[in-house]
Amino acid sequence: MGEHWYAETCDSLFEQLSVTSDYGLSNEEAGKRVEKYGYNELEKAKKRHPIFLFFEQFKDPLVIILLVALVISIIIGLFSTDEHQQLEYFIDALAITAIVLFNAFFGFIQEYKAEKSIEALKSMAAPFTTVFREGKKQRIEARLLVPGDIILIEEGDKIPADGRLLESHSLRIDESALTGESFPVTKESLTKLQPYTPVAERKNSVFSGTNVTRGRGQAIIVQTGMNTEFGKIARGLLEEKAEVTPLQRRLATLGKWIGIASLTICAIIFSIGVLLQQEVIEMFIVAVGLAVAAVPEGLPAVVTLALALGVQRMSRKNAIVRRLPSVETLGSTTVICSDKTGTLTRNKMTVRKILTVDEEYSITKDTPLNNSLRQILTIGLVCNNAQIAQNRQGESKEVDIGDPTEIALLRVAKRLEVESTYKRLYEVPFDSDSKRMSVVVKNPEGEYFVFTKGAPDVLINLCTLYFSKGEVRSLDKEMREKLEVAEQNLAKIGYRMLGMAFKSIDPRAANIKLLSEDVEAIEANLTYIGAMAIMDPPRKGTKSAIETCRKAGIRPVMITGDHLKTAVAVATEIGLVSSQESAHYMEGQELAKMSDEEFSDMVMDVNVFARVSPEHKLKLVSALKSNNQIVAMTGDGVNDAPALKRADIGVAMGIAGTDVSKEASDMILADDDFSTIVGAVLEGRTIYDNMRKFILYLLSCNAGEIAVMFIGILLTSLLFQTPILPLLAIQILWVNLVTDGLPALAMGVDPPDPDVMIRKPRDPNEPILTRKSILFIIYSGLIISVGTLALFFFYMYPNVVSGQLPSENVKIRARTVAFTLLIIFQMIMALNIRKEEHSLIGKEFFRNPYLLLAIASSIFLHIIILSVPFLQDVFGTTTIELVDWIIILCVGSILVFIDEFRTILAKRVPSLRHIAGYW
């Protein structure tokens, strides 16, 4: 079957598909076609086995480094002759194993629950359908449909496959899930189309997964399964691979540099030891100990937990994150591509204005009702086939049944407390040719009326009178033109206009038989009274959310399958564009004709895209990404799913969103409120700020540890002709996992900075560590190492002077003091690093009570390993006296004075302001 089957005539399709309209396919032929074309269902995504999914968690560079350290620790532990050293390295190995398994298990659980897009699509398919086979109607499973089948369509049906209409009778189909079109689309079997007509404008076709809201018809199935428009979306989801987030890229780069640094340090210290004629095995053990100091073992766990805590906070604000790294990605977003229907708007048709002959009214619950308004609302209420019903017995939630436009008429009447006392006697149903619907009604007083609603231009031509200021007047040419202009002014700015007219009739003319014999007479000589202006209104808070996005340097873009004038009207109302004339817009047909290169060159200048298909949305996201943009895509329909998956972060709607869009997304807005995304952006930026703080903190502490170990080994080798470790490997591991880890976790819940939402988004290529950050790490490492080593050698002073190798007790005491000072330095660093350009003294000190608790806990845990005999043996420590504590605190406070001096100097000397802050 050709690609442009919708442009073919029905006879041509019958011939190509070898089927006749009066017989349909035989069951035998249908069976053969099932074998040829396959079942009318969507392919399942190839699932990775859970075991492979689990092992994929070990690909992270930092985790690989930890695994190497784990293997080396086990080897040294096995071959070491020193029992204490064996215990030390086995504990080291156990701790690293616990970290690696924690990360792997957590990542596995997150990913195992994801990737269900195709299953969600399958749930939207119609399970059964009515076909015409062998000259009779048959009810079959929808999966057994084949090209050439003739299906019967009725109100309430879900279309099971793509097809060309053979017949249509007042047929209207809701295609919003596929195209984004707000209103149900009127379908016409006789419509002739040209090749390349967009999906949203194929009036003679029906599409799988869409819903019939009115009328009936017949269609010949042309495409099934993966060849339907739904299938194309499904194929896009199958082929689209999950993007690596900016955070994952940055952490991978950081991990590689840490790995290179670890290997370099090992090689240097091992080479120096060999040159100094030290034992090769001993120097290898020393070099490994130094490598352990270089690797921040707690970093993967702290990053994972910080993101998880961010996920919890965001869920309390109605933003549910499905992929942990996406928390940070949202904070670096530069463009938000938002679907109009159901995202920026409520996806609920609403009467927003009523136009009487005399005046225009904006509708609120407090709108006062005059005779004209009350009559217009009554006509809309009575000339109506929709219903608003209760969901279940005892539940307050209401369910809309019927055409969304008619639902809007019911709701506005209910809102303004207008009720009907009329009894319907006869109906002239809506027809796409006549573009109107009429009913004959009777009131309690026994009076008979005709109520008509329809396209205003059609009704005005049917009317000979109009109702104005309580009087019925003759409708002349001048008044007709005035009414048409008033209606067109609202239609131009995106409103769907629905005119209202009425007339009284003689009771004798209200006979059903007479009415059915002369339908034209029913709608002759009507009295025009006004029109309702209907639109899918913007969500509350959308305008302020867009303004906040702009202040944050984020560019909002609207993409929709709806008509251009409607899209531009909504964009103007919510402040996406300043006026309809200034809007930079593009339609899907124009977009489709452009090459990828041409589109990429101009995509940054367009902020409203209308009449677009799913392929266009995918092309849009790709073009933005080619311009180095971090793209967030919000949406709720099936048509959004491929673009949601392609975007850096896909944001689906939780209430109105389809299962497909939710499963393809990275984050779900539980309340469907666009403004919730602003809170999510704030949270994302705050999480990244805090992440940089604790990464900088951990690396600064590790730099100090490396410097202590590196310089200490060199100096002891020169002084005593044998290297002495200033810190044991198990002590470094304790610092990296516990005393560093707790404050780092507490930094993950630091409150947001006041300027977080008035800053521009970060450069996507900006590394986690900037030049300023690296300089700070070096500066911090030097201060920590100088202070720690000074105290280490001070406690071995007699040996330093004499050059004699210190006893084991002297080494243990010196190490314990150095170990303790290192921890005090790092606790002070935790307070300093989170205050950025502010002084530590004052309210900044109490800004994060969790950090103070973490610091107190770290010090308390350290005191325990200095005091408990069993732990003293494990960690190679001893009890220290009060005078030792005084000396340690005095040396440690040097870091406070240096940092406070740096902050004060930066504030008072403008030319030195650049020395404040850390990145």
Side-chain angles (χ1 to χ4, degrees), residues 2 44 46 104 114 137 159 185 192 280 335 349 378 643 765 787 882:
K44 293 183 179 179
K46 293 181 180 178
K137 293 181 183 179
I159 304 297
V185 179
K192 295 181 179 179
V280 174
V335 179
M349 304 313 300
T378 301
N765 299 316
L882 178 61

Side-chain angles (χ1 to χ4, degrees), residues 122 313 379 413 489 559 644 800 811 866:
K122 286 171 69 70
R313 290 196 301 274
I379 294 171
N489 287 339
I559 48 180
L644 285 174
V800 170
K811 284 194 285 187
L866 298 185

Side-chain angles (χ1 to χ4, degrees), residues 614-630:
E615 292 86 355
H616 297 153
K617 293 186 177 186
L618 202 56
K619 186 175 180 179
L620 170 60
V621 175
S622 298
L624 287 167
K625 293 184 74 169
S626 71
N627 280 275
N628 296 318
Q629 301 297 304
I630 300 296

Side-chain angles (χ1 to χ4, degrees), residues 344-350 352 535-539 573:
L344 296 171
T345 65
R346 296 172 57 200
N347 197 18
K348 184 174 286 188
M349 304 313 300
T350 303
R352 305 189 68 193
M535 184 184 277
D536 180 13
R539 290 184 176 275
E573 184 173 357

Side-chain angles (χ1 to χ4, degrees), residues 354-413:
I354 294 181
L355 197 64
T356 67
V357 173
D358 305 305
E359 196 169 345
E360 179 183 307
Y361 296 88
S362 293
I363 299 303
T364 69
K365 64 179 181 180
D366 300 318
T367 301
L369 297 181
N370 55 30
N371 288 339
S372 294
L373 282 175
R374 187 174 292 279
Q375 182 69 358
I376 290 171
L377 290 167
T378 301
I379 294 171
L381 181 62
V382 178
C383 191
N384 198 314
N385 288 324
Q387 298 178 52
I388 300 175
Q390 296 298 313
N391 191 15
R392 287 193 186 98
Q393 191 173 3
E395 287 190 11
S396 59
K397 186 177 179 181
E398 294 177 333
V399 176
D400 297 339
I401 302 172
D403 186 87
T405 302
E406 294 194 330
I407 294 291
L409 305 185
L410 296 183
R411 290 204 174 277
V412 71

Side-chain angles (χ1 to χ4, degrees), residues 545-558:
I546 285 176
E547 180 60 29
T548 304
C549 285
R550 282 218 170 91
K551 288 179 181 177
I554 299 169
R555 178 170 160 251
V557 174
M558 177 193 290

Side-chain angles (χ1 to χ4, degrees), residues 286-299:
V286 168
V288 170
L290 195 54
V292 171
V295 178
E297 286 90 348
L299 183 56

